[in-house]
Short mmCIF file of all heavy atoms in Angstrom, two decimals:
data_model
loop_
_atom_site.label_atom_id
_atom_site.label_comp_id
_atom_site.label_asym_id
_atom_site.label_seq_id
_atom_site.Cartn_x
_atom_site.Cartn_y
_atom_site.Cartn_z
N MET M 1 18.97 13.35 3.36
CA MET M 1 19.70 12.59 4.35
C MET M 1 18.76 11.56 5.00
O MET M 1 17.64 11.87 5.38
CB MET M 1 20.24 13.53 5.42
CG MET M 1 21.01 12.83 6.48
SD MET M 1 21.79 14.04 7.56
CE MET M 1 22.24 13.02 8.90
N ARG M 2 19.24 10.33 5.10
CA ARG M 2 18.44 9.27 5.70
C ARG M 2 18.45 9.39 7.22
O ARG M 2 19.49 9.65 7.82
CB ARG M 2 19.00 7.91 5.30
CG ARG M 2 18.86 7.64 3.83
CD ARG M 2 19.44 6.29 3.48
NE ARG M 2 19.34 6.08 2.05
CZ ARG M 2 20.14 5.29 1.37
NH1 ARG M 2 21.09 4.63 1.98
NH2 ARG M 2 19.99 5.14 0.07
N THR M 3 17.28 9.18 7.77
CA THR M 3 17.19 9.26 9.24
C THR M 3 16.76 7.93 9.85
O THR M 3 16.96 7.71 11.05
CB THR M 3 16.19 10.34 9.66
OG1 THR M 3 14.92 10.06 9.04
CG2 THR M 3 16.66 11.73 9.22
N ASP M 4 16.16 7.04 9.03
CA ASP M 4 15.68 5.76 9.56
C ASP M 4 16.74 4.68 9.39
O ASP M 4 17.53 4.71 8.45
CB ASP M 4 14.40 5.34 8.84
CG ASP M 4 13.26 6.31 9.08
OD1 ASP M 4 13.21 6.88 10.18
OD2 ASP M 4 12.45 6.51 8.16
N ASP M 5 16.72 3.72 10.28
CA ASP M 5 17.64 2.59 10.21
C ASP M 5 17.17 1.65 9.10
O ASP M 5 16.02 1.18 9.12
CB ASP M 5 17.66 1.87 11.56
CG ASP M 5 18.58 0.67 11.52
OD1 ASP M 5 19.81 0.87 11.48
OD2 ASP M 5 18.06 -0.47 11.52
N LEU M 6 18.06 1.37 8.14
CA LEU M 6 17.69 0.56 6.98
C LEU M 6 17.22 -0.84 7.38
O LEU M 6 16.22 -1.34 6.85
CB LEU M 6 18.88 0.46 6.02
CG LEU M 6 18.63 -0.34 4.74
CD1 LEU M 6 17.50 0.28 3.93
CD2 LEU M 6 19.91 -0.42 3.92
N VAL M 7 17.90 -1.46 8.31
CA VAL M 7 17.52 -2.81 8.73
C VAL M 7 16.14 -2.79 9.38
O VAL M 7 15.30 -3.67 9.13
CB VAL M 7 18.58 -3.40 9.69
CG1 VAL M 7 18.10 -4.73 10.27
CG2 VAL M 7 19.91 -3.57 8.97
N GLN M 8 15.89 -1.78 10.19
CA GLN M 8 14.59 -1.68 10.86
C GLN M 8 13.48 -1.46 9.83
O GLN M 8 12.40 -2.05 9.94
CB GLN M 8 14.59 -0.54 11.88
CG GLN M 8 13.32 -0.47 12.68
CD GLN M 8 13.38 0.60 13.77
OE1 GLN M 8 14.23 1.48 13.74
NE2 GLN M 8 12.48 0.51 14.72
N VAL M 9 13.73 -0.62 8.85
CA VAL M 9 12.74 -0.39 7.79
C VAL M 9 12.45 -1.69 7.06
O VAL M 9 11.29 -2.05 6.84
CB VAL M 9 13.23 0.69 6.80
CG1 VAL M 9 12.34 0.74 5.57
CG2 VAL M 9 13.30 2.04 7.48
N TYR M 10 13.49 -2.42 6.70
CA TYR M 10 13.32 -3.68 5.96
C TYR M 10 12.52 -4.68 6.79
O TYR M 10 11.66 -5.39 6.28
CB TYR M 10 14.68 -4.26 5.59
CG TYR M 10 14.57 -5.56 4.83
CD1 TYR M 10 14.27 -5.58 3.48
CD2 TYR M 10 14.77 -6.78 5.49
CE1 TYR M 10 14.14 -6.76 2.79
CE2 TYR M 10 14.64 -7.97 4.81
CZ TYR M 10 14.33 -7.97 3.46
OH TYR M 10 14.21 -9.14 2.79
N ARG M 11 12.80 -4.74 8.07
CA ARG M 11 12.14 -5.74 8.93
C ARG M 11 10.74 -5.35 9.37
O ARG M 11 9.89 -6.22 9.55
CB ARG M 11 12.99 -5.97 10.18
CG ARG M 11 14.27 -6.73 9.92
CD ARG M 11 15.05 -6.93 11.18
NE ARG M 11 16.24 -7.73 10.96
CZ ARG M 11 17.26 -7.80 11.81
NH1 ARG M 11 17.23 -7.11 12.94
NH2 ARG M 11 18.30 -8.54 11.53
N GLU M 12 10.47 -4.06 9.54
CA GLU M 12 9.25 -3.67 10.23
C GLU M 12 8.27 -2.81 9.43
O GLU M 12 7.12 -2.69 9.83
CB GLU M 12 9.62 -2.92 11.53
CG GLU M 12 10.44 -3.79 12.47
CD GLU M 12 10.89 -3.04 13.70
OE1 GLU M 12 10.40 -1.92 13.94
OE2 GLU M 12 11.76 -3.57 14.42
N HIS M 13 8.72 -2.20 8.34
CA HIS M 13 7.80 -1.32 7.60
C HIS M 13 6.66 -2.16 7.02
O HIS M 13 6.88 -3.26 6.49
CB HIS M 13 8.54 -0.60 6.48
CG HIS M 13 7.71 0.51 5.88
ND1 HIS M 13 6.74 0.26 4.93
CD2 HIS M 13 7.69 1.83 6.11
CE1 HIS M 13 6.16 1.39 4.59
NE2 HIS M 13 6.73 2.38 5.30
N PRO M 14 5.43 -1.66 7.10
CA PRO M 14 4.28 -2.41 6.58
C PRO M 14 4.44 -2.86 5.12
O PRO M 14 3.98 -3.96 4.76
CB PRO M 14 3.11 -1.43 6.73
CG PRO M 14 3.52 -0.56 7.87
CD PRO M 14 5.01 -0.42 7.76
N LEU M 15 5.06 -2.06 4.30
CA LEU M 15 5.25 -2.46 2.91
C LEU M 15 6.13 -3.70 2.81
O LEU M 15 5.79 -4.66 2.10
CB LEU M 15 5.87 -1.32 2.09
CG LEU M 15 6.24 -1.70 0.64
CD1 LEU M 15 5.02 -2.15 -0.14
CD2 LEU M 15 6.93 -0.54 -0.04
N PHE M 16 7.24 -3.72 3.52
CA PHE M 16 8.13 -4.87 3.45
C PHE M 16 7.50 -6.09 4.11
O PHE M 16 7.71 -7.22 3.66
CB PHE M 16 9.49 -4.55 4.07
CG PHE M 16 10.35 -3.72 3.16
CD1 PHE M 16 10.33 -2.34 3.25
CD2 PHE M 16 11.12 -4.32 2.18
CE1 PHE M 16 11.09 -1.57 2.39
CE2 PHE M 16 11.87 -3.56 1.32
CZ PHE M 16 11.86 -2.18 1.41
N LEU M 17 6.73 -5.89 5.16
CA LEU M 17 6.02 -7.02 5.77
C LEU M 17 5.03 -7.61 4.78
O LEU M 17 4.91 -8.83 4.65
CB LEU M 17 5.28 -6.55 7.04
CG LEU M 17 6.18 -6.18 8.23
CD1 LEU M 17 5.32 -5.62 9.36
CD2 LEU M 17 6.98 -7.37 8.71
N SER M 18 4.33 -6.76 4.03
CA SER M 18 3.36 -7.26 3.05
C SER M 18 4.06 -8.00 1.91
O SER M 18 3.53 -8.99 1.41
CB SER M 18 2.50 -6.11 2.51
OG SER M 18 3.25 -5.25 1.68
N LEU M 19 5.24 -7.54 1.52
CA LEU M 19 5.96 -8.19 0.43
C LEU M 19 6.40 -9.60 0.80
O LEU M 19 6.61 -10.44 -0.07
CB LEU M 19 7.19 -7.36 0.03
CG LEU M 19 6.90 -6.03 -0.65
CD1 LEU M 19 8.19 -5.25 -0.85
CD2 LEU M 19 6.16 -6.22 -1.96
N ARG M 20 6.54 -9.87 2.08
CA ARG M 20 6.95 -11.21 2.53
C ARG M 20 5.76 -12.08 2.92
O ARG M 20 5.94 -13.18 3.43
CB ARG M 20 7.93 -11.08 3.70
CG ARG M 20 9.26 -10.46 3.32
CD ARG M 20 10.28 -10.60 4.42
NE ARG M 20 9.98 -9.81 5.59
CZ ARG M 20 10.34 -8.55 5.78
NH1 ARG M 20 11.01 -7.90 4.84
NH2 ARG M 20 10.03 -7.91 6.89
N ASP M 21 4.55 -11.60 2.67
CA ASP M 21 3.36 -12.38 3.02
C ASP M 21 2.66 -12.82 1.73
O ASP M 21 1.95 -12.04 1.09
CB ASP M 21 2.42 -11.50 3.85
CG ASP M 21 1.17 -12.25 4.28
OD1 ASP M 21 1.00 -13.42 3.89
OD2 ASP M 21 0.36 -11.64 5.00
N PRO M 22 2.85 -14.07 1.34
CA PRO M 22 2.26 -14.54 0.07
C PRO M 22 0.74 -14.49 0.06
O PRO M 22 0.15 -14.48 -1.02
CB PRO M 22 2.79 -15.98 -0.06
CG PRO M 22 3.25 -16.37 1.29
CD PRO M 22 3.61 -15.11 2.02
N ASP M 23 0.12 -14.46 1.22
CA ASP M 23 -1.34 -14.38 1.25
C ASP M 23 -1.85 -12.99 0.90
O ASP M 23 -3.06 -12.79 0.73
CB ASP M 23 -1.86 -14.78 2.63
CG ASP M 23 -1.67 -16.26 2.91
OD1 ASP M 23 -1.60 -17.04 1.93
OD2 ASP M 23 -1.56 -16.64 4.08
N ARG M 24 -0.96 -12.02 0.75
CA ARG M 24 -1.35 -10.66 0.37
C ARG M 24 -1.28 -10.45 -1.14
O ARG M 24 -1.68 -9.39 -1.63
CB ARG M 24 -0.45 -9.62 1.06
CG ARG M 24 -0.45 -9.69 2.59
CD ARG M 24 -1.60 -8.92 3.21
NE ARG M 24 -1.70 -7.57 2.72
CZ ARG M 24 -1.10 -6.52 3.25
NH1 ARG M 24 -0.36 -6.66 4.32
NH2 ARG M 24 -1.27 -5.30 2.76
N LEU M 25 -0.74 -11.42 -1.87
CA LEU M 25 -0.57 -11.25 -3.31
C LEU M 25 -1.93 -11.25 -4.02
O LEU M 25 -2.88 -11.89 -3.58
CB LEU M 25 0.30 -12.38 -3.87
CG LEU M 25 1.74 -12.42 -3.36
CD1 LEU M 25 2.45 -13.66 -3.88
CD2 LEU M 25 2.49 -11.16 -3.75
N GLY M 26 -1.98 -10.55 -5.13
CA GLY M 26 -3.21 -10.46 -5.89
C GLY M 26 -3.13 -11.19 -7.22
O GLY M 26 -2.09 -11.73 -7.59
N GLY M 27 -4.25 -11.20 -7.92
CA GLY M 27 -4.32 -11.77 -9.26
C GLY M 27 -3.90 -13.24 -9.29
O GLY M 27 -4.15 -14.00 -8.35
N ARG M 28 -3.21 -13.62 -10.37
CA ARG M 28 -2.79 -15.01 -10.52
C ARG M 28 -1.83 -15.43 -9.41
O ARG M 28 -1.90 -16.57 -8.92
CB ARG M 28 -2.14 -15.21 -11.89
CG ARG M 28 -3.15 -15.17 -13.03
CD ARG M 28 -2.47 -15.31 -14.38
NE ARG M 28 -1.64 -14.14 -14.64
CZ ARG M 28 -0.38 -14.20 -15.04
NH1 ARG M 28 0.20 -15.35 -15.26
NH2 ARG M 28 0.30 -13.10 -15.25
N CYS M 29 -0.93 -14.55 -9.01
CA CYS M 29 0.01 -14.90 -7.93
C CYS M 29 -0.73 -15.19 -6.63
O CYS M 29 -0.35 -16.06 -5.87
CB CYS M 29 1.03 -13.78 -7.72
SG CYS M 29 2.20 -13.57 -9.07
N GLY M 30 -1.82 -14.47 -6.40
CA GLY M 30 -2.58 -14.66 -5.17
C GLY M 30 -3.28 -16.00 -5.09
O GLY M 30 -3.57 -16.48 -3.98
N ARG M 31 -3.60 -16.60 -6.23
CA ARG M 31 -4.27 -17.91 -6.20
C ARG M 31 -3.37 -19.03 -6.71
O ARG M 31 -3.85 -20.15 -6.94
CB ARG M 31 -5.58 -17.84 -6.99
CG ARG M 31 -5.46 -17.53 -8.44
CD ARG M 31 -6.83 -17.54 -9.13
NE ARG M 31 -6.71 -17.52 -10.55
CZ ARG M 31 -6.55 -16.43 -11.29
NH1 ARG M 31 -6.52 -15.24 -10.71
NH2 ARG M 31 -6.42 -16.51 -12.60
N CYS M 32 -2.10 -18.75 -6.84
CA CYS M 32 -1.15 -19.73 -7.37
C CYS M 32 -0.65 -20.66 -6.27
O CYS M 32 -0.30 -20.20 -5.18
CB CYS M 32 0.03 -19.01 -8.02
SG CYS M 32 1.28 -20.13 -8.70
N GLU M 33 -0.59 -21.96 -6.56
CA GLU M 33 -0.11 -22.92 -5.58
C GLU M 33 1.39 -22.79 -5.32
O GLU M 33 1.91 -23.38 -4.38
CB GLU M 33 -0.45 -24.35 -6.02
CG GLU M 33 0.22 -24.83 -7.29
CD GLU M 33 -0.61 -24.56 -8.55
OE1 GLU M 33 -1.25 -23.49 -8.65
OE2 GLU M 33 -0.60 -25.44 -9.44
N PHE M 34 2.10 -22.04 -6.14
CA PHE M 34 3.54 -21.85 -5.96
C PHE M 34 3.88 -20.53 -5.28
O PHE M 34 5.05 -20.15 -5.17
CB PHE M 34 4.26 -21.92 -7.31
CG PHE M 34 4.03 -23.21 -8.05
CD1 PHE M 34 3.38 -23.21 -9.26
CD2 PHE M 34 4.45 -24.42 -7.51
CE1 PHE M 34 3.15 -24.40 -9.95
CE2 PHE M 34 4.24 -25.61 -8.19
CZ PHE M 34 3.58 -25.60 -9.41
N ARG M 35 2.89 -19.79 -4.82
CA ARG M 35 3.14 -18.44 -4.32
C ARG M 35 4.04 -18.38 -3.09
O ARG M 35 4.72 -17.39 -2.88
CB ARG M 35 1.83 -17.71 -4.04
CG ARG M 35 1.05 -18.23 -2.87
CD ARG M 35 -0.29 -17.49 -2.73
NE ARG M 35 -1.05 -17.92 -1.59
CZ ARG M 35 -1.75 -19.05 -1.52
NH1 ARG M 35 -1.78 -19.84 -2.57
NH2 ARG M 35 -2.40 -19.38 -0.43
N THR M 36 4.06 -19.46 -2.27
CA THR M 36 4.93 -19.41 -1.08
C THR M 36 6.39 -19.62 -1.45
O THR M 36 7.28 -19.24 -0.69
CB THR M 36 4.52 -20.46 -0.03
OG1 THR M 36 4.58 -21.77 -0.63
CG2 THR M 36 3.10 -20.20 0.47
N ARG M 37 6.65 -20.25 -2.60
CA ARG M 37 8.03 -20.47 -3.02
C ARG M 37 8.46 -19.52 -4.11
O ARG M 37 9.63 -19.20 -4.24
CB ARG M 37 8.22 -21.91 -3.51
CG ARG M 37 8.32 -22.90 -2.38
CD ARG M 37 8.26 -24.31 -2.88
NE ARG M 37 6.86 -24.69 -3.02
CZ ARG M 37 6.44 -25.78 -3.63
NH1 ARG M 37 7.32 -26.58 -4.18
NH2 ARG M 37 5.18 -26.06 -3.69
N CYS M 38 7.53 -19.07 -4.94
CA CYS M 38 7.86 -18.16 -6.04
C CYS M 38 7.45 -16.74 -5.67
O CYS M 38 8.29 -15.92 -5.35
CB CYS M 38 7.17 -18.63 -7.32
SG CYS M 38 7.31 -17.48 -8.67
N GLY M 39 6.17 -16.50 -5.73
CA GLY M 39 5.67 -15.17 -5.37
C GLY M 39 5.78 -14.15 -6.50
O GLY M 39 5.24 -13.06 -6.41
N GLY M 40 6.50 -14.50 -7.54
CA GLY M 40 6.63 -13.58 -8.67
C GLY M 40 7.54 -12.40 -8.37
O GLY M 40 7.99 -12.21 -7.25
N SER M 41 7.79 -11.62 -9.38
CA SER M 41 8.63 -10.43 -9.23
C SER M 41 7.78 -9.28 -8.72
O SER M 41 6.89 -8.79 -9.41
CB SER M 41 9.27 -10.05 -10.56
OG SER M 41 9.86 -8.76 -10.45
N ARG M 42 8.06 -8.85 -7.53
CA ARG M 42 7.34 -7.71 -6.95
C ARG M 42 7.74 -6.41 -7.65
O ARG M 42 6.93 -5.49 -7.80
CB ARG M 42 7.60 -7.61 -5.45
CG ARG M 42 7.18 -8.81 -4.62
CD ARG M 42 5.70 -9.09 -4.69
NE ARG M 42 5.33 -10.06 -5.68
CZ ARG M 42 4.30 -9.93 -6.50
NH1 ARG M 42 3.53 -8.87 -6.47
NH2 ARG M 42 4.00 -10.84 -7.38
N ALA M 43 8.98 -6.33 -8.07
CA ALA M 43 9.45 -5.14 -8.79
C ALA M 43 8.73 -5.01 -10.14
O ALA M 43 8.30 -3.92 -10.53
CB ALA M 43 10.95 -5.21 -9.00
N ARG M 44 8.58 -6.14 -10.84
CA ARG M 44 7.91 -6.11 -12.15
C ARG M 44 6.43 -5.78 -11.98
O ARG M 44 5.85 -5.01 -12.76
CB ARG M 44 8.09 -7.45 -12.85
CG ARG M 44 7.66 -7.44 -14.28
CD ARG M 44 8.29 -8.55 -15.08
NE ARG M 44 8.33 -9.82 -14.38
CZ ARG M 44 9.26 -10.75 -14.61
NH1 ARG M 44 10.20 -10.54 -15.49
NH2 ARG M 44 9.23 -11.90 -13.95
N ALA M 45 5.81 -6.35 -10.95
CA ALA M 45 4.40 -6.05 -10.69
C ALA M 45 4.22 -4.56 -10.40
O ALA M 45 3.29 -3.92 -10.93
CB ALA M 45 3.89 -6.88 -9.51
N TYR M 46 5.08 -4.01 -9.61
CA TYR M 46 4.98 -2.58 -9.27
C TYR M 46 5.22 -1.71 -10.50
O TYR M 46 4.49 -0.73 -10.73
CB TYR M 46 5.98 -2.23 -8.17
CG TYR M 46 5.94 -0.79 -7.77
CD1 TYR M 46 4.84 -0.27 -7.08
CD2 TYR M 46 6.98 0.07 -8.09
CE1 TYR M 46 4.78 1.05 -6.72
CE2 TYR M 46 6.94 1.40 -7.72
CZ TYR M 46 5.84 1.89 -7.04
OH TYR M 46 5.79 3.21 -6.69
N ALA M 47 6.23 -2.05 -11.29
CA ALA M 47 6.54 -1.26 -12.49
C ALA M 47 5.38 -1.26 -13.48
O ALA M 47 5.09 -0.26 -14.13
CB ALA M 47 7.80 -1.79 -13.15
N ALA M 48 4.71 -2.40 -13.61
CA ALA M 48 3.65 -2.54 -14.61
C ALA M 48 2.31 -2.00 -14.13
O ALA M 48 1.50 -1.54 -14.93
CB ALA M 48 3.50 -4.00 -15.01
N THR M 49 2.04 -2.08 -12.82
CA THR M 49 0.69 -1.75 -12.34
C THR M 49 0.65 -0.66 -11.27
O THR M 49 -0.42 -0.13 -10.98
CB THR M 49 0.02 -3.01 -11.74
OG1 THR M 49 0.69 -3.34 -10.51
CG2 THR M 49 0.09 -4.19 -12.69
N GLY M 50 1.79 -0.38 -10.64
CA GLY M 50 1.79 0.57 -9.52
C GLY M 50 1.43 -0.10 -8.21
O GLY M 50 1.42 0.55 -7.17
N ASP M 51 1.13 -1.40 -8.25
CA ASP M 51 0.78 -2.16 -7.05
C ASP M 51 1.85 -3.24 -6.84
O ASP M 51 1.94 -4.19 -7.62
CB ASP M 51 -0.60 -2.81 -7.22
CG ASP M 51 -0.99 -3.67 -6.03
OD1 ASP M 51 -0.24 -3.73 -5.04
OD2 ASP M 51 -2.08 -4.29 -6.10
N PRO M 52 2.63 -3.13 -5.77
CA PRO M 52 3.70 -4.11 -5.56
C PRO M 52 3.19 -5.50 -5.21
O PRO M 52 3.96 -6.46 -5.25
CB PRO M 52 4.51 -3.52 -4.40
CG PRO M 52 3.56 -2.64 -3.69
CD PRO M 52 2.63 -2.10 -4.73
N LEU M 53 1.91 -5.62 -4.90
CA LEU M 53 1.34 -6.93 -4.56
C LEU M 53 0.52 -7.52 -5.70
O LEU M 53 -0.10 -8.58 -5.53
CB LEU M 53 0.48 -6.81 -3.30
CG LEU M 53 1.24 -6.36 -2.04
CD1 LEU M 53 0.28 -6.11 -0.89
CD2 LEU M 53 2.30 -7.36 -1.65
N ALA M 54 0.51 -6.88 -6.84
CA ALA M 54 -0.25 -7.38 -7.99
C ALA M 54 0.44 -8.62 -8.57
O ALA M 54 1.58 -8.94 -8.22
CB ALA M 54 -0.35 -6.30 -9.07
N GLU M 55 -0.26 -9.30 -9.47
CA GLU M 55 0.36 -10.46 -10.11
C GLU M 55 1.55 -10.04 -10.96
O GLU M 55 1.62 -8.89 -11.42
CB GLU M 55 -0.67 -11.20 -10.98
CG GLU M 55 -1.10 -10.42 -12.22
CD GLU M 55 -2.16 -11.19 -13.01
OE1 GLU M 55 -2.94 -11.93 -12.41
OE2 GLU M 55 -2.18 -11.00 -14.23
N ASP M 56 2.46 -10.97 -11.13
CA ASP M 56 3.65 -10.72 -11.96
C ASP M 56 3.24 -10.81 -13.43
O ASP M 56 2.91 -11.89 -13.92
CB ASP M 56 4.71 -11.77 -11.63
CG ASP M 56 5.99 -11.59 -12.43
OD1 ASP M 56 5.99 -10.83 -13.41
OD2 ASP M 56 6.99 -12.25 -12.06
N PRO M 57 3.28 -9.70 -14.17
CA PRO M 57 2.83 -9.73 -15.57
C PRO M 57 3.80 -10.48 -16.48
O PRO M 57 3.45 -10.77 -17.62
CB PRO M 57 2.76 -8.24 -15.94
CG PRO M 57 3.73 -7.58 -15.04
CD PRO M 57 3.70 -8.36 -13.75
N GLY M 58 4.97 -10.83 -15.99
CA GLY M 58 5.93 -11.56 -16.80
C GLY M 58 5.79 -13.06 -16.74
O GLY M 58 6.46 -13.78 -17.47
N CYS M 59 4.90 -13.53 -15.88
CA CYS M 59 4.74 -14.98 -15.72
C CYS M 59 3.64 -15.48 -16.67
O CYS M 59 2.59 -14.86 -16.79
CB CYS M 59 4.36 -15.31 -14.28
SG CYS M 59 4.07 -17.07 -14.00
N VAL M 60 3.89 -16.61 -17.31
CA VAL M 60 2.90 -17.17 -18.24
C VAL M 60 2.06 -18.26 -17.60
O VAL M 60 1.13 -18.77 -18.23
CB VAL M 60 3.59 -17.73 -19.51
CG1 VAL M 60 4.29 -16.61 -20.26
CG2 VAL M 60 4.56 -18.84 -19.15
N TYR M 61 2.38 -18.61 -16.35
CA TYR M 61 1.63 -19.69 -15.69
C TYR M 61 0.22 -19.22 -15.34
O TYR M 61 0.02 -18.10 -14.87
CB TYR M 61 2.36 -20.13 -14.42
CG TYR M 61 1.68 -21.28 -13.72
CD1 TYR M 61 1.57 -22.52 -14.33
CD2 TYR M 61 1.15 -21.12 -12.45
CE1 TYR M 61 0.95 -23.58 -13.70
CE2 TYR M 61 0.52 -22.17 -11.80
CZ TYR M 61 0.43 -23.40 -12.43
OH TYR M 61 -0.19 -24.44 -11.80
N GLU M 62 -0.74 -20.11 -15.58
CA GLU M 62 -2.15 -19.80 -15.25
C GLU M 62 -2.61 -20.77 -14.18
O GLU M 62 -2.90 -21.94 -14.50
CB GLU M 62 -3.01 -19.92 -16.51
CG GLU M 62 -4.44 -19.45 -16.32
CD GLU M 62 -4.56 -17.98 -15.98
OE1 GLU M 62 -3.99 -17.15 -16.73
OE2 GLU M 62 -5.19 -17.65 -14.97
N PRO M 63 -2.68 -20.32 -12.92
CA PRO M 63 -3.12 -21.22 -11.85
C PRO M 63 -4.57 -21.67 -12.08
O PRO M 63 -5.35 -20.97 -12.72
CB PRO M 63 -3.02 -20.37 -10.59
CG PRO M 63 -2.20 -19.19 -10.96
CD PRO M 63 -2.35 -18.99 -12.42
N ALA M 64 -4.89 -22.81 -11.51
CA ALA M 64 -6.26 -23.33 -11.66
C ALA M 64 -7.27 -22.42 -11.02
O ALA M 64 -7.00 -21.72 -10.07
CB ALA M 64 -6.33 -24.73 -11.06
S1 SF4 S 1 4.90 -15.56 -10.83
FE1 SF4 S 1 3.68 -17.21 -11.73
S2 SF4 S 1 4.41 -19.11 -10.76
FE2 SF4 S 1 5.10 -17.39 -9.50
S3 SF4 S 1 3.51 -17.14 -7.94
FE3 SF4 S 1 3.00 -15.74 -9.63
S4 SF4 S 1 1.59 -16.94 -10.96
FE4 SF4 S 1 2.66 -18.39 -9.57
#
């Protein structure tokens, strides 16, 4: 049974706050000039690496 408010969790939980902060991204996404508009798939990063802030392994772009 859920006890926490879903909206509050989405807005305030440290994990969700980190997911909305492009400066927390790692790997190629972390140094990509498009990270504030793209940011990559956080779900794919988590599925592939266990780290939701890792680079998106499905992206072929190589930032400078
Ligand atoms: S998914 Fe690709 S284009 Fe998007 S931020 Fe990451 S490296 Fe940049």
Side-chain angles (χ1 to χ4, degrees):
M1 180 173 166
R2 294 179 183 154
T3 56
D4 296 327
D5 179 71
L6 181 60
V7 173
Q8 185 176 16
V9 169
Y10 180 79
R11 288 180 177 164
E12 300 176 11
H13 191 279
L15 174 60
F16 283 93
L17 291 175
S18 70
L19 291 174
R20 293 191 292 273
D21 182 357
D23 291 335
R24 302 276 309 270
L25 296 174
R28 288 177 294 131
C29 291
R31 62 178 192 276
C32 179
E33 65 268 39
F34 303 116
R35 69 184 182 283
T36 58
R37 282 170 275 169
C38 172
S41 169
R42 300 299 95 224
R44 191 159 42 208
Y46 180 69
T49 70
D51 177 4
L53 298 173
E55 69 182 31
D56 180 347
C59 178
V60 297
Y61 183 64
E62 187 63 53

